[in-house]
Amino acid sequence: MAEMVGLEALVASIAAGQSIAIPVDRAGVSMAATAAMIDAGLTGLHLVCVPISGLQADLLIGAGVASVVETSAVSLGEAGGAPRFVAAVRDGSIKLRDATCPAIHAGLLAGQKGVPFMPIAGIIGSDLLQVRPDWKVIDSPVGEPGKVVVVPAITPDVALFHAPEADRFGNVRIGRYRELATMAYAAKRTLVTVERIVDRDLMATEDSAAGVLPALYVDAIAVAENGAWPLPLWDEYETDGAELSRYAAMARTDEGFRAYLSAFLSRSKQVA
Amino acid sequence: MTMQDDRARKELLITIIAGLLDGIRHVAVGASSPIPAAGAMLLRARNEQQGKPPISISILGSSRHNFFTNGGVELFDCAAQGRVDAFFLGGGQIDGAGNINLVGTGDYPRMDVRWPGSFGSAYLYHLIPRVILFREEHSPRVLVPKVDFVSAAAVTPEVKRRGGPHALLTNLALFDFDRERGGFRLRSVHPGYTADDVRDRTGFDYAAPEIVPPTPMPDRATVELIRGRIVDELAECYPEFARTMAAAA
């Protein structure tokens, strides 16, 4: 059941070398926990981007926290390419596990169901099959004869995201972002930051419960106001486009990135 | 290029896209694709005016313009069920066989140039019947004989598929894709360019008619529709793009 903790305690439960599932920008990224992870000096993490990432992955790569990156893309969206990701690919400092979006969803679904793999349409003919030897092409054992791709289950050590609210019982409102539930089902532990804790029971009515991840799947919750900034949080705030552009410009060089990171970390500490 | 020329270029591309989408019921558009979105909106407006069946437009990443409630996986499931008729893909490289590369150039993994990644292309290319390859830059570095990395393959005789490339649209020309032959055929060249310009700036070989027709310019009614209703609709999802279009007036 979900434990209410501080931000530092939340990230202190992540160990070096673990795999950690993180959502796409619009689905609630915990930038507050990202800052705390960098501050805590975590290393060797295996990022599982569900199914892509942006600023969060770029910061974790640039700060040396992530050493394996499993993703269908890393991009800052309208602010352009992800500079630290690109630099790390070029100097070989991260191990890449290139994917395609629905394959990551399929792998998590296998994790959710406790089966070793999930078949998935398409992909055949793509060089992704060359660089992902863990993806297999098999003859379909049932139905019409034909080739089909299977991807192994993804069972992250940790799922981490940010949401608008949780109740006192640890139920978390995730709205339509069902991938957050999939991440939590598949992961061994789920850590959530929220804007606020509400007094009402989110499971009380059919209406409110429909968009909720039950406390059953949530291990720890920390309050972090504005915790997705500069990324957006649905129904709460938009992307801070100016901040993303500023990051994109500064992170082009290693020195610029260091300067950005140190300001980002001290700002996060003041807020926390 | 003046603002007016740039607007005319965009209006031409929007009009071509509306034509390429004619007959579909549901088109999905990427989050940062204002010109494809505008083409889809133009077709929707025209269908309404002409009493034709309505079309649905899903704009990925937008909360207002999508019908999905099952998270990020739903678009992919929807495509697998045959409920998405058209989609757009770009590519850092596109080759003459219709394969696209969204990963980078040089040898994998430590590539010379690294792009964001394959996104959903490896999957959607197999499942969506009318994939329109849209890349504004028309140059030999983009349109290459063979991509350095196949993010998504155009033709795979070893598996049954309903999806694949339908056309390739650039700032210079419009090509059709022939799935039997596995290659492009030049359909028309945009005003201001010649068939020789296209040949010079295309790195792959393609079929072409003896006399290549010019791409028809949008008629007055279409231009008025774009400058009015479509720019207004675009402003919700692509405010910057809509502002630039309106500023050229």
Side-chain angles (χ1 to χ4, degrees), chain B:
Chain B
M1 195 183 274
T2 68
M3 277 174 79
Q4 282 73 24
D5 288 347
D6 188 55
R7 180 174 66 168
R9 176 186 71 83
K10 287 172 182 159
E11 286 170 351
L12 179 69
L13 295 172
I14 291 166
T15 306
I16 298 166
I17 288 170
L20 290 170
L21 293 175
D22 195 28
I24 58 117
R25 295 160 306 163
H26 180 194
V27 54
V29 182
S32 49
S33 312
I35 291 176
M41 288 167 177
L42 175 60
L43 179 66
R44 178 169 65 184
R46 258 194 210 153
N47 279 12
E48 250 177 63
Q49 287 180 346
Q50 298 168 5
K52 287 190 187 166
I55 70 162
S56 303
I57 306 173
S58 296
I59 298 180
L60 309 183
S62 151
S63 44
R64 258 168 298 182
H65 297 270
N66 86 62
F67 319 102
F68 302 136
T69 57
N70 198 29
V73 77
E74 192 171 353
L75 164 79
F76 301 109
D77 289 350
C78 206
Q81 295 149 16
R83 295 178 204 271
V84 184
D85 305 312
F87 189 65
F88 299 88
L89 284 172
Q93 291 179 330
I94 298 170
D95 71 23
N99 301 316
I100 63 169
N101 173 6
L102 302 169
V103 166
T105 63
D107 290 330
Y108 188 94
R110 292 179 64 175
M111 306 183 101
D112 307 330
V113 177
R114 170 72 204 207
W115 298 315
S118 299
F119 293 93
S121 65
Y123 172 92
L124 294 172
Y125 221 22
H126 277 257
L127 294 162
I128 299 183
R130 230 185 267 194
V131 177
I132 295 165
L133 299 174
F134 177 62
R135 178 74 207 240
E136 291 173 71
E137 177 178 334
H138 190 132
S139 69
R141 69 168 194 163
V142 172
L143 305 178
V144 297
K146 193 172 183 323
V147 293
D148 291 5
F149 187 98
V150 179
S151 284
V155 180
T156 49
E158 66 272 34
V159 280
K160 259 174 81 171
R161 63 191 281 178
R162 78 170 82 88
H166 175 69
L168 165 65
L169 176 62
T170 72
N171 275 338
L172 259 63
L174 172 64
F175 298 83
D176 293 303
F177 189 77
D178 179 347
R179 287 193 202 169
E180 293 295 306
R181 200 171 48 81
F184 292 100
R185 179 181 174 83
L186 184 60
R187 188 200 292 190
S188 65
V189 175
H190 306 340
Y193 300 101
T194 66
D196 285 343
D197 293 334
V198 174
R199 192 63 80 179
D200 287 347
R201 297 202 213 168
T202 308
F204 57 71
D205 201 15
Y206 54 87
E210 205 141 305
I211 296 165
V212 182
T215 308
M217 293 289 283
D219 59 25
R220 199 178 166 75
T222 301
V223 168
E224 280 170 9
L225 199 53
I226 294 173
R227 291 180 190 176
R229 172 172 165 174
I230 306 309
V231 168
D232 287 347
E233 288 181 2
L234 279 172
E236 282 180 337
C237 275
Y238 308 100
E240 198 46 49
F241 183 84
R243 254 196 302 278
T244 320
M245 289 284 282

Side-chain angles (χ1 to χ4, degrees), chain A residues 6-265:
Chain A
L7 198 51
E8 267 182 44
L10 186 93
V11 304
S13 68
I14 307 169
Q18 286 192 322
S19 60
I20 179 166
I22 52 174
V24 62
D25 284 0
R26 64 177 175 277
V29 173
S30 184
M31 290 305 296
T34 304
M37 285 158 70
I38 295 168
D39 212 42
L42 271 168
T43 54
L45 289 192
H46 171 161
L47 302 185
V48 179
C49 307
V50 183
I52 62 172
S53 187
L55 179 66
Q56 184 181 26
D58 210 53
L59 280 173
L60 291 171
I61 293 165
V65 175
S67 62
V68 181
V69 181
E70 181 164 1
T71 192
S72 308
V74 183
S75 155
L76 299 178
E78 281 180 43
R84 291 298 97 196
F85 165 70
V86 169
V89 167
R90 210 169 295 157
D91 64 27
S93 60
I94 51 169
K95 188 168 183 293
L96 273 174
R97 288 164 67 85
D98 260 285
T100 183
C101 303
I104 290 182
H105 291 301
L108 288 169
L109 196 61
Q112 165 183 333
K113 294 186 183 302
V115 294
F117 61 84
M118 189 61 62
I120 175 172
I123 305 179
I124 286 169
S126 168
D127 283 344
L128 288 172
L129 287 167
Q130 311 304 315
V131 305
R132 289 298 302 265
D134 56 328
W135 294 3
K136 309 288 182 194
V137 180
I138 63 165
D139 291 310
S140 176
V142 293
E144 246 181 273
K147 301 278 178 203
V148 66
V149 174
V150 298
V151 298
I154 300 174
T155 51
D157 292 310
V158 177
L160 170 70
F161 64 87
H162 185 72
E165 57 193 27
D167 65 18
R168 288 175 292 120
F169 314 103
N171 303 305
V172 179
R173 187 156 68 80
I174 59 168
R176 291 188 275 179
Y177 294 92
R178 299 300 308 168
E179 57 264 54
L180 300 175
T182 306
M183 280 162 52
Y185 300 152
K188 297 183 184 79
R189 299 176 63 253
T190 294
L191 310 177
V192 183
T193 55
V194 293
E195 294 289 313
R196 58 191 166 268
I197 306 290
V198 295
D199 261 337
R200 66 180 195 283
D201 176 1
L202 291 175
M203 297 292 275
T205 70
E206 208 54 35
D207 256 5
S208 70
V212 164
L213 177 69
L216 172 66
Y217 303 100
V218 182
D219 294 274
I221 299 174
V223 173
E225 264 180 65
N226 226 18
W229 179 84
L231 298 176
L233 184 61
W234 70 87
D235 294 348
E236 303 275 335
Y237 41 89
E238 305 284 331
T239 308
D240 185 342
E243 180 68 13
L244 276 186
S245 303
R246 205 168 71 80
Y247 173 78
M250 287 182 76
R252 269 186 218 138
T253 65
D254 205 42
E255 306 79 69
F257 173 77
R258 295 286 147 204
Y260 182 93
L261 189 63
S262 112
F264 181 76
L265 294 183

